[in-house]
Amino acid sequence: MSSTRNTAGLPPAEIDTFPKLLEYQRRTRPQRPAIREKDFGIWQTYSWGRVAEEIRDLAAGLFSLGVQRGDKVAIVGDNRPRLYWTMTAVQAIGAVPVPLYQDSVAEEMTYVLEHAEARFAVVEDQEQVDKLMEVMERCPRLEQIVYDESRGMRHYTQSFLHHFDAVQSEGRDYNKIHPDFYDEEIAKAKGDDPAIILYTSGTTGKPKGVILSFDNVIKTAANGVKLEQLTADEETMAYLPMAWVGDHIFSYGQSYVAGFCVACPESSATVMQDLRELGPTYFFAPPRIFENILTTVMIRMEDASWIKRRVFHYFMDLARRCGTRILDRKPVSASDRLLYVLGNLLVYGPLKNTLGFTRIRLAYTAGEAIGPDIFDFYRSIGVNLKQLYGSTEASVFIAIQPDGEIEADTVGKPAIDVEIKIADNGEVMFRSPGVFVEYFKNPEATAETKTPDGWVHTGDAGFFDDNGHLKIIDRAKDVGRLNDGGLFAPKYVENKLKFFPDIKEAVAFGHERDFCAALINIDLVAVGSWAERNNVAYGSYQELAAHPQVIETIKGHIEQVNRDLAADPRLASSQIRRFLVLHKELDADDGELTRTRKVRRSFIAERYLPLIDALYSGVDHAYIETEVTFEDGRKGMIKADLQIVDVETAPTAPAMKKAS
Amino acid sequence: MYGDKHIGDTLLKVDNITLAFGGVKALTDISFEIREHEILAIIGPNGAGKTSMLNVINGFYHPQQGRIMFRGAERKAMRPHLAAKQGIARTFQNVALFKGMSTLDNIMTGRVLKMKSNLFQQAIYWGANQREEIEHREVVEKIIDFLEIEAIRKTPVGRLPYGLQKRVELARALAMEPDLLLLDEPMAGMNVEEKEDMCRFILDVNDEFGTTIALIEHDMGVVMDISDRVVVLDYGRKLADGSPDEVRANQDVIDAYLGVSH
């Protein structure tokens, strides 16, 4: 550990809950920033000392409102300091916070509220209050709602609604009369008490409530801090849903353990600007976001003057050649090294500044496979982007790419204290301090997922490569067989397709079929920009998706993928023979994607059955009517006549003999 | 939710207004009133004289006959900037913003009338002037927050889509902290979602700040939904004046909109 960085070391082990950690940070670094929020265009910063006070008042306020030990408190809203404070305040008085996805529709919210038996809810604003009031009838247990943003709430006179400030001021009074209340309350909790219930969005079936204990979250967060040598000087941004385990570990767990500062963006629309102003040192984003950032940069470069374009492309070529090697501290020729310094001055530095990555020390991506081009782009300009593999049941960390040993198509080596084994059926299993307690009120599912000796089924199929890096190919249950016995790994194929900027989503079919076929979603930004440059007129997504030239381009991409697949004898059978371009974007509101934007394969197979039948029947057109749900909940119909295209497959490479 | 709103006394009253351009009579003998805290919609077919009416209230046109009472006092010959000083703000049918300036700067221009310091003092930006500017900026930031346009704070207005430009224009009008807000087709050319947003903002402005609003709008759904009273014009004459339900049932209005067989 270097002495210049603000390292006080990890908190001692007896500090085993978040309220206790908060007290520890209050004593250790009372003046250091704990959390920031952009309000009225200005960053407002709260120190650890201030946060501890706010939470003390809030905890007593919630207690006065009737929150009891063991109660569940729902938290709904964008990332806001006050909602993070609510988590600690709730934990301080022995209740359990249950964050919900803030963009879920009332229906989904009802299920979680009901299942979690939430008696209280703390929400961000009028929008969420309205949503909860709509479902209150169906959630008889829900008693009181606390809201943060008072805008638009003036005419709400219901006695079960309380403003955040009022609750806090009630708590302040309570604390004055009972000065020992808070300290006594937080002393009652231990490390193995439930800390939080996180509902997994679930690619199949109803969401499951994953109970994580304080030990789970704190030990895993601390291991992550240790592995990456995070310090109290880190700055990070909290912009992903609070209901997602990643945000809980990165923005809450690790911040409390290491004492670093978390910033909440002004609104979901300003994330990129706020990122640039803040310049975080530690950043997490799903591949999708890294991809969007890159696409935006590339599109803007297309519009630059030719000289700028030349300089940009020259240095990007250089970066591709030696950038990642420099980052990994591998040998690079002196002339390239010198040119890279110049490139840093002219291109990489300004580019990183535009993206908000000037100070970045560590960036993670996870959730889906990231395209090798995108991954290498960030690494080549000096952003230490790493993939990790994790799950809610593991409190995130299962495997992480170690510094200097990055292989783009693996997820790295087991994280600290994590054991990984591959089951006989190819499924990845792990055991770690982060292994969840149980699924709330669902012992069957718990028993299915977690063995008595603590191993957890991930449901993912994978293997270790020769260097001991874990490679994930697909969901274990999705790996299928074609009728001729060939292996069919749909996600592997889909990811290869999605690495083309023109393709936003792909859904492959082939299990118990004669060959592999795919439904394709074009990317409106990338294809739209192409259409603009080539004077292709279109009025809607549907029209663009059906354009013959677009279909031709997609066909080219698929042929490329087929050639790649053919190179690996094990996967050659998964080559795509027929495809069609869908007339609408797959959407979470229609149930086609999960809230974390993963494809729900079986649902799509059912919904688009006529299209899939057509793919396997030899016809060249398919007619479909689809019901769509708009953001406000109204429904409409889209009709389309879709073209089905045949693709050439590539000859399989001769199988390499392996010594057995 | 807005039922408990308190509609007050007459804020502005137009009496027998007649406006002609040469031989063309744009407005003939029009009288109606705008009451405090209400949302009044002025509707009518194309060329009915709606925008002319707003221009008269705004002091841009000077009617040949009739009088305008504002807060109980008769208004003499009026210029637009005097109307603005008295607390009347407006937006335009065709967005009238400074396209090269950022959203923030555009909204700041709405504060100009409230600034005490002169150009020279502002250039020095020190002491009292600095404090003044910070105060104005705070008001503007509250409006930006209110209208949810944080993401475009620093974007040149010319680069924004039309729907957002309309919202920026509303923001600039609000920056004047007006008593009476005139909106000329605030929802023209918007898609359904943008319209819904704009409706909500108009209702919120009315509700939060108690601002009296007179608006011109073609979308009948919107008009009937959000306004407290409706004035109907046709060929420069007033056809009807009343609550949305009354107006909807009025035979003259139905004839004007659907046409009558002769």
Side-chain angles (χ1 to χ4, degrees), chain A residues 341-389:
Chain A
V341 171
L342 186 65
N344 205 18
L345 217 59
L346 290 175
V347 177
Y348 319 137
L351 183 59
K352 280 193 280 185
N353 186 32
T354 308
L355 303 177
F357 290 157
T358 302
R359 299 196 298 154
I360 202 106
R361 272 199 334 116
L362 172 64
Y364 279 139
T365 187
E368 299 253 358
I370 186 166
D373 288 351
I374 299 158
F375 189 64
D376 287 343
F377 168 83
Y378 288 100
R379 292 193 58 82
S380 71
I381 61 169
V383 175
N384 186 20
L385 176 61
K386 307 205 288 182
Q387 295 184 59
L388 67 83
Y389 173 63

CSV table of all heavy atoms in Angstrom, one decimal, chain A residues 341-389:
chain,number,residue,atom,x,y,z
A,341,VAL,N,3.0,7.9,-26.4
A,341,VAL,CA,3.0,9.1,-25.6
A,341,VAL,C,2.4,10.2,-26.3
A,341,VAL,O,1.6,11.0,-25.8
A,341,VAL,CB,4.4,9.4,-25.0
A,341,VAL,CG1,4.5,10.7,-24.3
A,341,VAL,CG2,4.9,8.3,-24.1
A,342,LEU,N,2.8,10.4,-27.6
A,342,LEU,CA,2.3,11.5,-28.4
A,342,LEU,C,0.8,11.3,-28.6
A,342,LEU,O,0.0,12.2,-28.6
A,342,LEU,CB,3.1,11.4,-29.8
A,342,LEU,CG,2.7,12.6,-30.7
A,342,LEU,CD1,3.2,13.9,-30.2
A,342,LEU,CD2,3.4,12.3,-32.1
A,343,GLY,N,0.4,10.0,-28.9
A,343,GLY,CA,-1.0,9.7,-29.1
A,343,GLY,C,-1.8,10.1,-27.9
A,343,GLY,O,-2.9,10.6,-28.0
A,344,ASN,N,-1.2,9.8,-26.7
A,344,ASN,CA,-1.9,10.2,-25.5
A,344,ASN,C,-2.2,11.7,-25.4
A,344,ASN,O,-3.2,12.1,-24.9
A,344,ASN,CB,-1.0,9.7,-24.3
A,344,ASN,CG,-1.9,9.4,-23.1
A,344,ASN,OD1,-3.1,9.3,-23.2
A,344,ASN,ND2,-1.3,9.4,-21.9
A,345,LEU,N,-1.2,12.4,-25.8
A,345,LEU,CA,-1.3,13.9,-25.8
A,345,LEU,C,-2.4,14.4,-26.8
A,345,LEU,O,-3.1,15.3,-26.5
A,345,LEU,CB,0.1,14.5,-26.2
A,345,LEU,CG,0.5,15.7,-25.5
A,345,LEU,CD1,0.6,15.5,-24.0
A,345,LEU,CD2,1.9,16.1,-26.0
A,346,LEU,N,-2.4,13.8,-28.0
A,346,LEU,CA,-3.2,14.3,-29.1
A,346,LEU,C,-4.6,13.6,-29.1
A,346,LEU,O,-5.6,14.3,-29.4
A,346,LEU,CB,-2.5,14.0,-30.4
A,346,LEU,CG,-1.3,14.8,-30.7
A,346,LEU,CD1,-0.7,14.4,-32.0
A,346,LEU,CD2,-1.6,16.3,-30.8
A,347,VAL,N,-4.7,12.4,-28.8
A,347,VAL,CA,-5.9,11.7,-29.0
A,347,VAL,C,-6.5,11.0,-27.7
A,347,VAL,O,-7.6,11.3,-27.3
A,347,VAL,CB,-5.8,10.6,-30.1
A,347,VAL,CG1,-7.1,9.8,-30.3
A,347,VAL,CG2,-5.4,11.2,-31.4
A,348,TYR,N,-5.7,10.1,-27.2
A,348,TYR,CA,-6.3,9.3,-26.1
A,348,TYR,C,-6.7,10.2,-24.9
A,348,TYR,O,-7.7,10.0,-24.3
A,348,TYR,CB,-5.3,8.2,-25.6
A,348,TYR,CG,-4.6,7.5,-26.7
A,348,TYR,CD1,-3.2,7.2,-26.6
A,348,TYR,CD2,-5.2,7.2,-27.9
A,348,TYR,CE1,-2.5,6.6,-27.6
A,348,TYR,CE2,-4.6,6.5,-28.9
A,348,TYR,CZ,-3.2,6.3,-28.8
A,348,TYR,OH,-2.5,5.7,-29.8
A,349,GLY,N,-5.8,11.1,-24.5
A,349,GLY,CA,-6.1,12.0,-23.4
A,349,GLY,C,-7.3,12.8,-23.6
A,349,GLY,O,-8.3,12.7,-22.7
A,350,PRO,N,-7.4,13.6,-24.6
A,350,PRO,CA,-8.7,14.3,-24.9
A,350,PRO,C,-9.9,13.4,-25.0
A,350,PRO,O,-11.0,13.8,-24.5
A,350,PRO,CB,-8.4,15.0,-26.2
A,350,PRO,CG,-6.9,15.0,-26.4
A,350,PRO,CD,-6.4,13.9,-25.6
A,351,LEU,N,-9.7,12.2,-25.6
A,351,LEU,CA,-10.8,11.3,-25.7
A,351,LEU,C,-11.3,10.8,-24.3
A,351,LEU,O,-12.5,10.9,-24.0
A,351,LEU,CB,-10.4,10.1,-26.6
A,351,LEU,CG,-11.5,9.1,-26.9
A,351,LEU,CD1,-12.6,9.7,-27.6
A,351,LEU,CD2,-10.9,8.0,-27.7
A,352,LYS,N,-10.3,10.5,-23.5
A,352,LYS,CA,-10.7,10.0,-22.2
A,352,LYS,C,-11.4,11.1,-21.4
A,352,LYS,O,-12.3,10.9,-20.6
A,352,LYS,CB,-9.5,9.5,-21.4
A,352,LYS,CG,-9.1,8.1,-21.8
A,352,LYS,CD,-8.1,7.5,-20.9
A,352,LYS,CE,-6.7,8.0,-21.2
A,352,LYS,NZ,-5.6,7.3,-20.3
A,353,ASN,N,-10.9,12.4,-21.6
A,353,ASN,CA,-11.5,13.5,-20.9
A,353,ASN,C,-12.9,13.7,-21.3
A,353,ASN,O,-13.8,13.9,-20.5
A,353,ASN,CB,-10.7,14.8,-21.2
A,353,ASN,CG,-11.2,15.9,-20.4
A,353,ASN,OD1,-11.6,15.8,-19.3
A,353,ASN,ND2,-11.1,17.1,-21.0
A,354,THR,N,-13.2,13.5,-22.6
A,354,THR,CA,-14.6,13.7,-23.1
A,354,THR,C,-15.5,12.6,-22.5
A,354,THR,O,-16.6,12.9,-22.2
A,354,THR,CB,-14.6,13.5,-24.7
A,354,THR,OG1,-13.6,14.4,-25.2
A,354,THR,CG2,-15.9,13.8,-25.2
A,355,LEU,N,-14.9,11.4,-22.3
A,355,LEU,CA,-15.7,10.3,-21.8
A,355,LEU,C,-15.8,10.4,-20.3
A,355,LEU,O,-16.6,9.6,-19.7
A,355,LEU,CB,-15.1,9.0,-22.2
A,355,LEU,CG,-14.9,8.8,-23.7
A,355,LEU,CD1,-14.3,7.4,-24.0
A,355,LEU,CD2,-16.3,8.8,-24.5
A,356,GLY,N,-15.0,11.2,-19.7
A,356,GLY,CA,-15.0,11.2,-18.2
A,356,GLY,C,-14.1,10.2,-17.6
A,356,GLY,O,-14.2,9.8,-16.4
A,357,PHE,N,-13.1,9.7,-18.4
A,357,PHE,CA,-12.3,8.6,-17.9
A,357,PHE,C,-10.9,9.0,-17.6
A,357,PHE,O,-9.9,8.2,-17.5
A,357,PHE,CB,-12.2,7.4,-18.9
A,357,PHE,CG,-13.5,6.7,-19.0
A,357,PHE,CD1,-13.8,5.9,-20.2
A,357,PHE,CD2,-14.4,6.7,-18.0
A,357,PHE,CE1,-15.0,5.2,-20.3
A,357,PHE,CE2,-15.6,6.0,-18.0
A,357,PHE,CZ,-15.9,5.2,-19.2
A,358,THR,N,-10.7,10.4,-17.4
A,358,THR,CA,-9.3,10.9,-17.2
A,358,THR,C,-8.7,10.3,-16.0
A,358,THR,O,-7.5,9.9,-16.0
A,358,THR,CB,-9.3,12.4,-17.1
A,358,THR,OG1,-9.9,12.9,-18.3
A,358,THR,CG2,-7.9,13.0,-16.9
A,359,ARG,N,-9.4,10.1,-14.9
A,359,ARG,CA,-8.8,9.7,-13.6
A,359,ARG,C,-9.1,8.2,-13.4
A,359,ARG,O,-8.8,7.7,-12.3
A,359,ARG,CB,-9.4,10.5,-12.5
A,359,ARG,CG,-9.1,12.0,-12.6
A,359,ARG,CD,-9.3,12.7,-11.3
A,359,ARG,NE,-10.7,12.6,-10.8
A,359,ARG,CZ,-11.1,12.6,-9.5
A,359,ARG,NH1,-10.2,12.8,-8.6
A,359,ARG,NH2,-12.4,12.6,-9.2
A,360,ILE,N,-9.6,7.5,-14.3
A,360,ILE,CA,-10.1,6.2,-14.1
A,360,ILE,C,-8.9,5.2,-13.7
A,360,ILE,O,-7.9,5.3,-14.4
A,360,ILE,CB,-10.9,5.6,-15.3
A,360,ILE,CG1,-11.8,4.5,-14.8
A,360,ILE,CG2,-10.0,5.1,-16.4
A,360,ILE,CD1,-13.3,4.9,-14.7
A,361,ARG,N,-9.1,4.5,-12.7
A,361,ARG,CA,-8.1,3.5,-12.3
A,361,ARG,C,-8.6,2.1,-12.6
A,361,ARG,O,-7.8,1.2,-12.9
A,361,ARG,CB,-7.8,3.6,-10.8
A,361,ARG,CG,-6.7,4.6,-10.4
A,361,ARG,CD,-6.1,4.4,-9.0
A,361,ARG,NE,-6.9,3.8,-8.0
A,361,ARG,CZ,-6.6,2.6,-7.5
A,361,ARG,NH1,-5.6,1.9,-7.9
A,361,ARG,NH2,-7.4,2.0,-6.6
A,362,LEU,N,-9.9,1.9,-12.4
A,362,LEU,CA,-10.4,0.6,-12.6
A,362,LEU,C,-11.9,0.7,-13.1
A,362,LEU,O,-12.7,1.4,-12.5
A,362,LEU,CB,-10.4,-0.1,-11.2
A,362,LEU,CG,-11.2,-1.4,-11.1
A,362,LEU,CD1,-10.5,-2.5,-11.9
A,362,LEU,CD2,-11.2,-1.9,-9.6
A,363,ALA,N,-12.1,0.0,-14.2
A,363,ALA,CA,-13.5,-0.1,-14.7
A,363,ALA,C,-13.9,-1.6,-14.8
A,363,ALA,O,-13.1,-2.4,-15.3
A,363,ALA,CB,-13.6,0.6,-16.0
A,364,TYR,N,-15.1,-1.9,-14.4
A,364,TYR,CA,-15.6,-3.2,-14.5
A,364,TYR,C,-16.7,-3.3,-15.5
A,364,TYR,O,-17.5,-2.4,-15.7
A,364,TYR,CB,-16.2,-3.7,-13.2
A,364,TYR,CG,-15.2,-4.2,-12.1
A,364,TYR,CD1,-15.5,-3.8,-10.8
A,364,TYR,CD2,-14.2,-5.0,-12.4
A,364,TYR,CE1,-14.6,-4.2,-9.8
A,364,TYR,CE2,-13.3,-5.5,-11.4
A,364,TYR,CZ,-13.6,-5.1,-10.1
A,364,TYR,OH,-12.8,-5.5,-9.1
A,365,THR,N,-16.8,-4.4,-16.2
A,365,THR,CA,-18.0,-4.7,-16.9
A,365,THR,C,-18.5,-6.1,-16.6
A,365,THR,O,-17.6,-7.0,-16.4
A,365,THR,CB,-17.9,-4.4,-18.4
A,365,THR,OG1,-19.2,-4.5,-19.0
A,365,THR,CG2,-16.9,-5.4,-19.1
A,366,ALA,N,-19.8,-6.4,-16.6
A,366,ALA,CA,-20.3,-7.7,-16.4
A,366,ALA,C,-21.7,-7.8,-16.8
A,366,ALA,O,-22.3,-6.8,-17.3
A,366,ALA,CB,-20.2,-8.0,-14.9
A,367,GLY,N,-22.3,-8.9,-16.6
A,367,GLY,CA,-23.7,-9.1,-17.0
A,367,GLY,C,-23.9,-9.8,-18.3
A,367,GLY,O,-24.7,-10.7,-18.4
A,368,GLU,N,-23.1,-9.4,-19.3
A,368,GLU,CA,-23.2,-10.0,-20.6
A,368,GLU,C,-21.8,-10.1,-21.1
A,368,GLU,O,-20.9,-9.4,-20.6
A,368,GLU,CB,-24.0,-9.1,-21.5
A,368,GLU,CG,-25.5,-8.9,-21.1
A,368,GLU,CD,-26.4,-9.7,-22.0
A,368,GLU,OE1,-26.0,-10.4,-22.9
A,368,GLU,OE2,-27.6,-9.6,-21.7
A,369,ALA,N,-21.6,-10.8,-22.2
A,369,ALA,CA,-20.3,-10.8,-22.8
A,369,ALA,C,-20.1,-9.5,-23.5
A,369,ALA,O,-21.0,-8.9,-24.1
A,369,ALA,CB,-20.2,-11.9,-23.9
A,370,ILE,N,-18.9,-8.9,-23.5
A,370,ILE,CA,-18.6,-7.7,-24.1
A,370,ILE,C,-17.9,-8.0,-25.4
A,370,ILE,O,-17.0,-8.9,-25.5
A,370,ILE,CB,-17.8,-6.7,-23.2
A,370,ILE,CG1,-17.6,-5.3,-23.9
A,370,ILE,CG2,-16.4,-7.3,-22.9
A,370,ILE,CD1,-17.1,-4.3,-22.9
A,371,GLY,N,-18.2,-7.2,-26.5
A,371,GLY,CA,-17.5,-7.4,-27.8
A,371,GLY,C,-16.0,-7.2,-27.7
A,371,GLY,O,-15.6,-6.2,-27.0
A,372,PRO,N,-15.2,-8.1,-28.3
A,372,PRO,CA,-13.8,-7.9,-28.2
A,372,PRO,C,-13.3,-6.6,-28.7
A,372,PRO,O,-12.3,-6.0,-28.1
A,372,PRO,CB,-13.2,-9.1,-29.0
A,372,PRO,CG,-14.4,-9.8,-29.6
A,372,PRO,CD,-15.6,-9.2,-29.0
A,373,ASP,N,-13.9,-6.0,-29.7
A,373,ASP,CA,-13.5,-4.7,-30.3
A,373,ASP,C,-13.7,-3.6,-29.3
A,373,ASP,O,-12.8,-2.8,-29.1
A,373,ASP,CB,-14.3,-4.4,-31.5
A,373,ASP,CG,-14.0,-5.3,-32.7
A,373,ASP,OD1,-13.0,-6.0,-32.6
A,373,ASP,OD2,-14.7,-5.2,-33.7
A,374,ILE,N,-14.9,-3.7,-28.6
A,374,ILE,CA,-15.2,-2.6,-27.6
A,374,ILE,C,-14.3,-2.7,-26.4
A,374,ILE,O,-13.7,-1.8,-26.0
A,374,ILE,CB,-16.7,-2.8,-27.2
A,374,ILE,CG1,-17.6,-2.6,-28.4
A,374,ILE,CG2,-17.0,-1.8,-26.1
A,374,ILE,CD1,-18.9,-3.3,-28.2
A,375,PHE,N,-14.1,-4.0,-26.0
A,375,PHE,CA,-13.2,-4.2,-24.8
A,375,PHE,C,-11.8,-3.7,-25.1
A,375,PHE,O,-11.2,-3.0,-24.3
A,375,PHE,CB,-13.2,-5.7,-24.6
A,375,PHE,CG,-12.6,-6.1,-23.3
A,375,PHE,CD1,-13.1,-5.7,-22.1
A,375,PHE,CD2,-11.4,-6.9,-23.3
A,375,PHE,CE1,-12.5,-6.1,-20.9
A,375,PHE,CE2,-10.8,-7.3,-22.1
A,375,PHE,CZ,-11.3,-6.9,-20.9
A,376,ASP,N,-11.3,-4.1,-26.3
A,376,ASP,CA,-9.9,-3.7,-26.6
A,376,ASP,C,-9.8,-2.2,-26.8
A,376,ASP,O,-8.8,-1.6,-26.5
A,376,ASP,CB,-9.4,-4.4,-27.9
A,376,ASP,CG,-9.1,-5.9,-27.6
A,376,ASP,OD1,-9.0,-6.2,-26.4
A,376,ASP,OD2,-9.1,-6.7,-28.5
A,377,PHE,N,-10.9,-1.6,-27.3
A,377,PHE,CA,-10.8,-0.1,-27.6
A,377,PHE,C,-10.5,0.6,-26.2
A,377,PHE,O,-9.6,1.4,-26.2
A,377,PHE,CB,-12.2,0.4,-28.1
A,377,PHE,CG,-12.3,1.9,-28.1
A,377,PHE,CD1,-11.8,2.6,-29.1
A,377,PHE,CD2,-13.0,2.5,-27.1
A,377,PHE,CE1,-11.9,4.0,-29.1
A,377,PHE,CE2,-13.1,3.9,-27.0
A,377,PHE,CZ,-12.6,4.6,-28.1
A,378,TYR,N,-11.3,0.3,-25.2
A,378,TYR,CA,-11.0,1.0,-23.9
A,378,TYR,C,-9.7,0.7,-23.3
A,378,TYR,O,-9.0,1.5,-22.8
A,378,TYR,CB,-12.1,0.6,-22.9
A,378,TYR,CG,-13.5,1.3,-23.3
A,378,TYR,CD1,-14.4,0.6,-24.0
A,378,TYR,CD2,-13.7,2.6,-23.0
A,378,TYR,CE1,-15.6,1.2,-24.4
A,378,TYR,CE2,-14.9,3.2,-23.4
A,378,TYR,CZ,-15.8,2.5,-24.1
A,378,TYR,OH,-17.0,3.1,-24.4
A,379,ARG,N,-9.3,-0.6,-23.4
A,379,ARG,CA,-8.0,-1.0,-22.8
A,379,ARG,C,-6.9,-0.3,-23.6
A,379,ARG,O,-5.9,0.1,-23.0
A,379,ARG,CB,-7.9,-2.5,-22.8
A,379,ARG,CG,-8.8,-3.2,-21.8
A,379,ARG,CD,-8.5,-4.6,-21.6
A,379,ARG,NE,-7.1,-4.8,-21.0
A,379,ARG,CZ,-6.8,-4.6,-19.8
A,379,ARG,NH1,-7.7,-4.3,-18.9
A,379,ARG,NH2,-5.6,-4.8,-19.4
A,380,SER,N,-7.0,-0.2,-24.9
A,380,SER,CA,-5.9,0.3,-25.7
A,380,SER,C,-5.7,1.8,-25.5
A,380,SER,O,-4.6,2.3,-25.7
A,380,SER,CB,-6.2,0.0,-27.2
A,380,SER,OG,-7.2,0.8,-27.7
A,381,ILE,N,-6.7,2.5,-25.1
A,381,ILE,CA,-6.5,3.9,-24.8
A,381,ILE,C,-6.1,4.1,-23.3
A,381,ILE,O,-6.0,5.2,-22.8
A,381,ILE,CB,-7.7,4.8,-25.2
A,381,ILE,CG1,-8.9,4.5,-24.4
A,381,ILE,CG2,-7.9,4.8,-26.7
A,381,ILE,CD1,-10.0,5.5,-24.6
A,382,GLY,N,-5.9,3.0,-22.6
A,382,GLY,CA,-5.4,3.1,-21.2
A,382,GLY,C,-6.4,3.1,-20.1
A,382,GLY,O,-6.1,3.4,-19.0
A,383,VAL,N,-7.7,2.7,-20.5
A,383,VAL,CA,-8.7,2.5,-19.4
A,383,VAL,C,-8.6,1.0,-18.9
A,383,VAL,O,-8.7,0.1,-19.7
A,383,VAL,CB,-10.1,2.8,-19.9
A,383,VAL,CG1,-11.1,2.5,-18.9
A,383,VAL,CG2,-10.2,4.2,-20.4
A,384,ASN,N,-8.3,0.8,-17.7
A,384,ASN,CA,-8.1,-0.5,-17.1
A,384,ASN,C,-9.5,-1.2,-17.0
A,384,ASN,O,-10.0,-1.3,-15.9
A,384,ASN,CB,-7.4,-0.5,-15.8
A,384,ASN,CG,-7.0,-1.9,-15.3
A,384,ASN,OD1,-7.1,-2.9,-16.1
A,384,ASN,ND2,-6.8,-2.1,-14.1
A,385,LEU,N,-10.1,-1.6,-18.1
A,385,LEU,CA,-11.4,-2.2,-18.1
A,385,LEU,C,-11.2,-3.7,-17.9
A,385,LEU,O,-10.4,-4.3,-18.6
A,385,LEU,CB,-12.1,-1.9,-19.4
A,385,LEU,CG,-13.5,-2.5,-19.7
A,385,LEU,CD1,-14.5,-2.1,-18.6
A,385,LEU,CD2,-14.0,-2.2,-21.0
A,386,LYS,N,-12.0,-4.3,-17.0
A,386,LYS,CA,-11.9,-5.7,-16.7
A,386,LYS,C,-13.3,-6.3,-16.6
A,386,LYS,O,-14.2,-5.7,-16.2
A,386,LYS,CB,-11.2,-5.9,-15.4
A,386,LYS,CG,-9.9,-5.2,-15.3
A,386,LYS,CD,-8.9,-5.9,-14.3
A,386,LYS,CE,-9.3,-5.7,-12.9
A,386,LYS,NZ,-8.3,-6.3,-12.0
A,387,GLN,N,-13.3,-7.6,-17.0
A,387,GLN,CA,-14.6,-8.3,-17.0
A,387,GLN,C,-14.7,-9.0,-15.6
A,387,GLN,O,-13.7,-9.5,-15.2
A,387,GLN,CB,-14.7,-9.3,-18.1
A,387,GLN,CG,-14.8,-8.6,-19.4
A,387,GLN,CD,-15.1,-9.6,-20.5
A,387,GLN,OE1,-16.0,-10.4,-20.5
A,387,GLN,NE2,-14.1,-9.7,-21.5
A,388,LEU,N,-15.9,-9.1,-15.1
A,388,LEU,CA,-16.0,-9.9,-13.9
A,388,LEU,C,-17.2,-10.8,-14.1
A,388,LEU,O,-18.1,-10.5,-15.0
A,388,LEU,CB,-16.1,-9.1,-12.6
A,388,LEU,CG,-17.2,-8.2,-12.4
A,388,LEU,CD1,-18.4,-9.0,-11.8
A,388,LEU,CD2,-16.8,-7.1,-11.4
A,389,TYR,N,-17.3,-11.8,-13.3
A,389,TYR,CA,-18.4,-12.8,-13.4
A,389,TYR,C,-19.0,-12.9,-12.0
A,389,TYR,O,-18.3,-13.1,-11.1
A,389,TYR,CB,-17.9,-14.1,-13.9
A,389,TYR,CG,-18.9,-15.2,-13.9
A,389,TYR,CD1,-20.0,-15.2,-14.7
A,389,TYR,CD2,-18.7,-16.4,-13.1
A,389,TYR,CE1,-21.0,-16.2,-14.7
A,389,TYR,CE2,-19.7,-17.4,-13.1
A,389,TYR,CZ,-20.8,-17.3,-13.9
A,389,TYR,OH,-21.7,-18.3,-13.9
